[in-house]
């Protein structure tokens, strides 16, 4: 079974607008002759850091969870993590996040993006192969 966490359209538009504003401000600043590019190295680094944060925030809001008898494949928006079924101790609700968490035998908790609290039972069944 597969669950997907979709990015809200309002967030996508807001982050796109922020990205365009930062790039536009940077281009306008250096082409307008206000500051030479070599003299404003710190400002350029800060703007690049802001752009990286905007892109990471956008990527992090998405994600998906695939559950099968073999285990879990969790994609948190940045990278995919495979968790074998033997490593999963239990699947439980996480009311703080409004979702589901897989507790592993190592004591770690893995958030399952896209899975609503109401589907905890389905995740458990799919993991056991029923």
């Amino acid at each position: 079974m597969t669950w997907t966490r979709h990015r809200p359209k309002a967030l996508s538009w807001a982050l796109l607008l922020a990205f365009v504003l930062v790039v536009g401000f940077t281009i306008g600043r250096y082409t307008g002759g206000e500051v030479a590019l070599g003299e404003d190295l710190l400002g350029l680094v800060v703007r690049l850091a802001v752009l990286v944060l905007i892109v990471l925030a956008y990527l992090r809001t998405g994600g998906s969870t695939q559950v099968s008898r073999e285990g879990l494949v969790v994609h948190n928006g940045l990278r995919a993590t495979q968790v074998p079924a033997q490593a999963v101790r239990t699947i439980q609700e996480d009311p703080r996040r409004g979702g589901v968490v897989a507790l592993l035998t190592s004591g770690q908790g893995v958030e399952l993006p896209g899975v609503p609290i109401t589907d905890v039972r389905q995740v458990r069944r799919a993991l056991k192969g029923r």
Side-chain angles (χ1 to χ4, degrees):
M1 298 186 83
T2 303
W3 289 269
T4 304
R5 178 172 58 196
H6 297 283
R7 293 175 179 97
K9 286 192 184 233
L11 176 67
S12 299
W13 283 109
L15 291 178
L16 178 64
L17 179 63
F19 188 86
V20 168
L21 285 174
V22 170
V23 169
F25 178 75
T26 302
I27 291 172
R29 183 174 166 99
Y30 296 128
T31 58
E34 293 177 32
V35 178
L37 184 61
E39 295 174 6
D40 192 31
L41 197 54
L42 180 62
L44 185 62
V45 169
V46 169
R47 283 192 243 351
L48 286 174
V50 167
L51 289 177
V52 168
L53 287 175
I54 290 170
V55 169
L56 289 176
Y58 177 75
L59 291 175
R60 188 73 172 109
T61 59
S64 65
T65 301
Q66 291 181 335
V67 182
S68 68
R69 180 181 290 178
E70 289 81 33
L72 303 167
V73 178
V74 178
H75 192 283
N76 67 1
L78 297 176
R79 68 176 194 273
T81 304
Q82 295 183 354
V83 180
Q86 298 83 2
V88 178
R89 183 171 20 134
T90 186
I91 306 292
Q92 67 181 24
E93 301 172 357
D94 188 4
R96 291 179 303 143
R97 297 182 182 163
V100 178
V101 174
L103 296 178
L104 308 180
T105 55
S106 64
Q108 260 185 306
V110 177
E111 178 188 1
L112 304 180
V115 180
I117 291 177
T118 57
D119 288 353
V120 171
R121 190 172 184 188
Q122 288 181 339
V123 173
R124 289 178 185 153
R125 283 184 166 187
L127 198 57
K128 291 181 181 179
R130 293 188 223 161

